[in-house]
Amino acid sequence: MQIEMSIQTLMFDPGTNLPIIILRDKTGHHMVPIWMGLFEANAIASQIENVANPRPMTHDLLKNVIEDLNADIKKIVIHDLKGNTFYALLYLEVNGETVVVDARPSDAIALALRASAPIFIDKKVIENAKKLDLVPDKNDTEQLQQWLANL
């Protein structure tokens, strides 16, 4: 089962000094943190803030190539978690056919934002992230607030 997510926030994790994006479902019951590199975080932040670059950046270029090939980005799905590494897929529609492409979650999110495509995560990934203590228990509001405050 896939759950639609949105970006709650993009910030720096003070423990690792790496950018972290917090994805959250519409009900607020599911949250997933994903750590990423600086360049990917910048690509996401610039899109969130509607910063126009004078020349296409890598994610803009890829979106333009996809569109110029008459394809559409239909959605992205974060579908797996192995160790502490998340895996994502881009779902493209090309000539009426669905084409699925492997991608890093950060790149997939940057593309989804540019294409106004929905972001999904498999429920099993959320459950596996909870087992790794990446995400506090959704039923413990106090624990969740403390976790966010610590970030």
Side-chain angles (χ1 to χ4, degrees), residues 125-142:
V125 173
I126 294 170
E127 296 305 318
N128 289 338
K130 286 180 189 175
K131 291 175 189 173
L132 295 173
D133 288 331
L134 294 177
V135 184
D137 184 353
K138 69 179 179 185
N139 295 319
D140 188 344
T141 305
E142 186 177 315

Side-chain angles (χ1 to χ4, degrees), residues 2-105:
Q2 297 175 353
I3 298 171
E4 187 168 359
M5 306 293 274
S6 61
I7 296 170
Q8 178 175 342
T9 190
L10 176 64
M11 60 187 168
F12 278 92
D13 178 348
T16 62
N17 209 25
L18 289 172
I20 180 175
I21 192 165
I22 307 292
L23 298 177
R24 180 178 169 202
D25 74 339
K26 292 177 183 181
T27 66
H29 292 296
H30 302 291
M31 292 177 42
V32 177
I34 298 177
W35 284 259
M36 64 188 65
L38 292 172
F39 295 114
E40 294 80 8
N42 183 50
I44 290 169
S46 66
Q47 190 63 33
I48 290 171
E49 296 171 6
N50 292 319
V51 174
N53 293 305
R55 300 290 300 141
M57 300 303 287
T58 304
H59 297 96
D60 302 310
L61 172 66
L62 184 53
K63 177 188 169 274
N64 293 342
V65 168
I66 290 168
E67 288 176 350
D68 288 350
L69 293 172
N70 295 318
D72 291 314
I73 301 171
K74 290 303 189 185
K75 67 179 178 178
I76 70 129
V77 178
I78 300 169
H79 70 97
D80 203 0
L81 173 61
K82 295 178 185 171
N84 289 335
T85 303
F86 291 90
Y87 292 81
L89 297 170
L90 295 173
Y91 283 78
L92 308 175
E93 186 174 308
V94 183
N95 298 321
E97 301 281 330
T98 298
V99 176
V100 181
V101 180
D102 184 35
R104 296 183 303 181

